[in-house]
């Protein structure tokens, strides 16, 4: 038994010795492998053999051999655009030192070490790519801005009487979240093929085929010649250049181009608006006059025509695709009747002169202009029974835009310049026409001081926004206001049916007489002024019917003294040596309370 145990022990010792020898042999082999070069034989980086080289040699070799591959500009394809960019500008570079280190570190495993002793193994190592995130983001943002292209539908434009096709454009935008990977992959490939960047393409609704159809079916025929429209025997020809200014072709949801005509713009176009207005004249009211005291029609009323934009467009558009004589049509128009005719006058009982009054004034350019403008606004007014007439509502604000010019007014007891000066002559004339027609004054006021050419107590002034002249037609029949003027006079007549046979005026004596003072003034607003006493006066209005007085009204007026105003010689008064100043108040705050 003892001899068996030893034998077994001897065998164990032999195995142990053998095993130790194997370990020592393997260790020797590993040490021998480590003693070889830093980079194992057969190691390549993109075809560059760095096997058997030390790390410094491997790094230098990679710097030299990979430079042309990884520093050359990249060709980038972004949609249908192509551009070139330096890798460094894109934040991309090859780290040759890290690549060589990787090649060496990968060779430290035992299998690789042993492989150096017993044979050569080919190893392909990928280069280490570095990405500068900030440069990469900046480059992609720039690329996105440059590549951005808005989608554009195909279309048609009209200019100078010609139709031009507008080519469709596919919209392009860079998909920025996928761009970094695309750049990195393209750079890592290291070949010269273009790097295709990820883009989003948006197709236009209207393609080239639809654009060509629209040109052939509508646009070119539309611009092939003029169209002619007729109304009331008058012809209006519209040429391609005018038509083109108001034509458009717009795509629908299905991308189909549909023509449209801006009928409002075409009607207002300077090239044809006057001719359209001439062909479609507006209505004209009858004008009344007097033959003695009998009312006659001095100008007949006229039916007018109104062209509606929508109907006009519907008439023009179909003509544009026709040829020759077929490019002619009628202008659709609606008849518009005048508001006032000879029959209307007879029906309303406008058959005789009810009252008339004239005011004379010294001629002055501003006065003639302003009075004529106010008369133009007043003439032909028809005031029905129970209606109220207003000077401000009828004449409007006395401004340059409304046709009035600067004149002279009363402000704080003095003459000064103001827009619309002179129209108080019209207001005074209207007040007296009201007075002698026997209708009811509703709002009126005399001037703050007396003006010699107006009748005492029977005159009126106006101030826009603060003092109007209003009267109520309580005569029982309509009143037609006839207003006319010359360079030195204004006349207003009321035509209708008399309520009274006669309206008489009486005037009492001046009372509460007050003497004027003297004031000095200067500057461009100063107007010289002669003195006049202030006083009170009462005017009676007597209504006579069938030979007897059937009523009476009294109108009492207070006039303040008109102080003498002397303008200093250093500041000559505007208009000095010219026409007599106008005695009128014509703006808010211009009339002194009294």
């Amino acid at each position: 038994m003892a001899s068996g145990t030893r034998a077994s022990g001897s065998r164990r010792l032999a195995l142990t010795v053998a095993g130790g020898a194997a370990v020592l042999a393997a260790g020797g082999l590993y040490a021998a492998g480590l003693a070889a070069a830093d980079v194992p034989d057969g190691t390549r980086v993109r075809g560059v053999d760095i096997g058997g080289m030390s790390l410094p040699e491997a790094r230098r070799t990679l710097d030299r051999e990979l430079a042309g591959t990884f520093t050359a500009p990249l060709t980038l394809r972004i949609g249908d655009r192509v551009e070139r960019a330096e890798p460094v500008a894109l934040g991309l570079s090859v780290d040759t030192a890290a690549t060589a280190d990787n090649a060496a570190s990968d060779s430290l495993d035992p299998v690789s070490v042993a492989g150096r002793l017993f044979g050569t193994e080919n190893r392909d190592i990928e280069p280490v790519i570095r990405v500068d995130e900030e440069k990469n983001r900046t480059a992609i943002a720039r690329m996105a801005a440059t590549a951005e292209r808005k989608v554009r539908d195909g279309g048609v434009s009209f200019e100078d009487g010609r139709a031009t096709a507008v080519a469709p454009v596919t919209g392009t935008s860079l998909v920025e979240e996928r761009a970094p990977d695309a750049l990195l992959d393209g750079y890592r490939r290291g070949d010269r093929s273009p790097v295709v960047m990820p883009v989003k393409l948006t197709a236009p609704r209207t393609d080239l085929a639809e654009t060509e159809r629209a040109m052939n079916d509508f646009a070119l025929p539309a611009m092939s010649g003029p169209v002619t429209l007729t109304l009331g025997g008058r012809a209006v020809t519209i040429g391609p250049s005018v038509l083109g200014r108001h034509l458009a072709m717009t795509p629908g949801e299905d991308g189909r181009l549909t023509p449209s005509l801006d009928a409002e713009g075409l009607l207002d176009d300077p090239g044809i608006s006057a001719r359209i207005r001439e062909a479609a004249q507006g209505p004209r009211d009858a004008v009344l006059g007097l033959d003695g005291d009998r009312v006659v029609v001095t100008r007949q009323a006229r039916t007018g025509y109104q062209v509606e934009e929508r109907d006009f467009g519907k008439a023009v558009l179909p003509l544009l695709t026709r040829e020759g004589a077929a490019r002619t049509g009628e202008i659709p128009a609606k008849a518009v009747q005048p508001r006032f005719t000879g029959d209307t006058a007879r029906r309303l009982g406008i058959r005789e002169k009810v009252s008339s009054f004239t005011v004379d004034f010294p001629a002055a350019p501003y006065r003639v202009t302003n009075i004529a403008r106010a008369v133009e606004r007043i003439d032909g007014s028809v005031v029905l029974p129970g209606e109220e007439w207003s000077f401000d509502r009828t004449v409007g604000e006395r401004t340059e835009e409304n046709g009035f010019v600067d004149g002279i007014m009363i402000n704080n007891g003095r003459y000064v310049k103001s827009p619309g000066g002179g129209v108080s002559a019209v207001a005074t004339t209207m007040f007296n026409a009201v007075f002698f027609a026997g209708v009811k004054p509703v709002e009126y006021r005399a001037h703050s001081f007396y003006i010699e050419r107006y009748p005492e107590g029977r005159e009126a002034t106006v101030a826009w926004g603060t003092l109007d002249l209003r009267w109520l037609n309580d005569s029982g029949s309509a009143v037609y206001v006839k207003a006319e003027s010359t360079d030195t006079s204004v006349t207003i007549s009321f035509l209708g049916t008399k309520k009274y046979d006669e309206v008489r005026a009486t005037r009492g004596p001046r009372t509460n007489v007050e003497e004027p003072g003297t004031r000095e003034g200067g500057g461009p607003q100063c107007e010289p002024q002669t003195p006049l006493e202030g006083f009170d006066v009462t005017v009676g209005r007597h209504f006579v019917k069938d030979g007897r007085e059937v009523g009476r009204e009294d109108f009492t007026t207070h006039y303040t003294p008109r102080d003498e105003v002397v303008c200093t010689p250093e500041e000559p008064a505007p208009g000095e040596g010219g026409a007599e100043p106008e005695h009128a108040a014509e703006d808010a705050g211009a009339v002194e309370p009294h």
Side-chain angles (χ1 to χ4, degrees):
M1 290 294 297
S3 60
T5 302
R6 282 195 300 269
S8 175
S10 297
R11 285 194 299 271
R12 284 198 298 271
L13 177 60
L15 289 173
T16 301
V17 171
V23 170
L24 289 174
L29 290 172
Y30 185 73
L34 288 178
D38 292 332
V39 179
D41 290 337
T43 302
R44 293 180 177 82
V45 178
R46 293 297 174 87
V48 178
D49 188 357
I50 58 173
M53 296 183 185
S54 65
L55 284 179
E57 289 176 322
R59 292 167 185 167
R60 286 193 298 272
T61 300
L62 291 176
D63 285 338
R64 182 178 66 252
E65 298 297 331
L66 296 183
T69 300
F70 290 99
T71 60
L74 291 177
T75 299
L76 308 177
R77 185 179 299 281
I78 311 168
D80 58 1
R81 289 183 61 256
V82 174
E83 65 177 62
R84 291 171 66 81
E86 298 290 339
V88 67
L90 300 173
L92 301 173
S93 60
V94 168
D95 189 338
T96 53
T99 303
D101 289 344
N102 279 356
S105 62
D106 287 348
S107 66
L108 293 179
D109 65 274
V111 175
S112 297
V113 171
R116 299 187 196 182
L117 296 176
F118 298 108
T120 300
E121 180 184 358
N122 291 332
R123 300 169 61 249
D124 290 321
I125 302 297
E126 282 298 311
V128 175
I129 307 298
R130 299 296 184 191
V131 180
D132 185 321
E133 298 290 347
E134 184 176 352
K135 283 186 177 182
N136 195 249
R137 282 194 301 269
T138 301
I140 289 172
R142 178 201 58 77
M143 204 181 304
T146 304
E148 183 73 20
R149 185 170 61 185
K150 300 294 184 183
V151 64
R152 184 180 71 193
D153 288 328
V156 175
S157 67
F158 299 93
E159 187 174 0
D160 297 331
R162 294 189 301 273
T164 303
V166 178
V169 174
T170 299
T172 305
S173 58
L174 183 69
V175 183
E176 295 187 52
E177 62 271 20
R178 291 167 48 199
D181 289 342
L183 283 175
L184 184 58
D185 291 345
Y187 181 66
R188 182 178 284 120
R189 283 200 313 269
D191 56 22
R192 299 301 177 96
S193 62
V195 179
V196 179
M197 300 300 294
V199 294
K200 177 183 177 182
L201 300 179
T202 304
R205 289 180 300 171
T206 305
D207 60 17
L208 185 59
E210 172 58 18
T211 303
E212 292 174 349
R213 183 207 62 78
M215 281 286 290
N216 294 327
D217 290 357
F218 178 82
L220 293 177
M223 295 292 98
S224 64
V227 296
T228 300
L229 302 164
T230 58
L231 174 63
R234 297 174 183 267
V236 178
T237 300
I238 309 175
S241 59
V242 174
L243 288 167
R245 287 199 289 268
H246 308 286
L247 276 176
M249 298 198 76
T250 53
E253 289 298 324
D254 59 355
R256 185 177 177 83
L257 290 170
T258 303
S260 62
L261 175 67
D262 177 10
E264 179 182 3
L266 183 57
L267 280 172
D268 291 339
D269 192 288
I272 67 163
S273 58
R275 287 180 286 159
I276 292 288
R277 284 196 301 271
E278 185 179 349
Q281 298 181 27
R284 184 179 67 191
D285 289 339
V287 176
L288 304 183
L290 290 169
D291 181 5
D293 284 347
R294 185 174 64 89
V295 173
V296 295
V297 177
T298 60
R299 188 185 71 184
Q300 293 292 338
R302 179 187 66 201
T303 298
Y305 295 93
Q306 181 176 348
V307 178
E308 298 287 346
E309 297 162 4
R310 183 177 178 183
D311 294 337
F312 182 68
K314 286 182 177 180
V316 173
L317 203 56
L319 303 180
L320 301 181
T321 53
R322 299 178 185 174
E323 297 179 357
R327 294 174 73 88
T328 302
E330 289 284 333
I331 298 177
K334 179 174 65 177
V336 181
Q337 300 301 324
R339 294 172 300 173
F340 186 76
T341 66
D343 289 340
T344 305
R346 287 186 289 274
R347 188 169 62 253
L348 293 175
I350 302 173
R351 56 175 178 263
E352 61 185 337
K353 180 172 71 175
V354 177
S355 67
S356 185
F357 197 80
T358 298
V359 166
D360 296 318
F361 52 81
Y366 77 85
R367 188 181 296 128
V368 171
T369 297
N370 291 338
I371 288 175
R373 181 59 174 154
V375 162
E376 179 185 4
R377 295 288 187 92
I378 293 170
D379 186 41
S381 297
V382 177
V383 186
L384 298 177
E387 286 187 348
E388 183 181 280
W389 185 91
S390 161
F391 191 97
D392 276 358
R393 187 171 61 245
T394 304
V395 175
E397 187 173 2
R398 275 70 78 187
T399 62
E400 182 179 350
E401 292 75 17
N402 284 336
F404 295 91
V405 298
D406 281 353
I408 306 300
M409 72 172 193
I410 299 173
N411 187 9
N412 194 28
R414 296 173 54 183
Y415 297 135
V416 297
K417 284 187 176 294
S418 173
V423 299
S424 67
V426 183
T428 292
T429 309
M430 175 63 76
F431 180 82
N432 280 273
V434 168
F435 186 96
F436 289 108
V439 294
K440 181 180 179 180
V442 176
E443 180 183 357
Y444 70 96
R445 185 185 296 175
H447 289 86
S448 56
F449 53 70
Y450 178 56
I451 299 169
E452 292 91 323
R453 65 172 172 273
Y454 297 151
E456 293 181 18
R458 289 203 338 263
E459 47 93 3
T461 186
V462 285
W464 175 262
T466 59
L467 178 59
D468 197 1
L469 171 60
R470 297 183 292 124
W471 55 271
L472 177 69
N473 179 12
D474 58 353
S475 69
S477 62
V479 170
Y480 180 94
V481 181
K482 181 70 178 174
E484 48 196 335
S485 66
T486 68
D487 288 353
T488 57
S489 69
V490 55
T491 300
I492 293 179
S493 303
F494 281 13
L495 312 182
T497 299
K498 288 184 177 181
K499 182 177 181 180
Y500 304 102
D501 298 336
E502 184 183 5
V503 177
R504 300 173 185 163
T506 58
R507 187 187 72 214
R510 294 181 179 184
T511 61
N512 300 322
V513 176
E514 187 178 352
E515 294 302 317
T518 301
R519 288 188 279 176
E520 291 187 356
Q525 294 296 317
C526 182
E527 288 288 339
Q529 184 170 286
T530 57
L532 184 70
E533 66 186 12
F535 58 91
D536 294 344
V537 66
T538 298
V539 172
R541 180 162 73 156
H542 305 261
F543 304 102
V544 178
K545 190 172 182 62
D546 298 328
R548 64 187 183 87
E549 186 174 300
V550 294
R552 171 177 174 160
E553 290 179 325
D554 288 337
F555 297 80
T556 299
T557 302
H558 170 74
Y559 292 111
T560 60
R562 189 174 74 207
D563 292 339
E564 180 180 17
V565 174
V566 179
C567 294
T568 59
E570 303 82 44
E571 298 285 345
E576 189 173 27
E580 173 188 336
E582 170 59 34
H583 314 295
E586 268 308 297
D587 210 348
V591 182
E592 291 183 317
H594 54 87

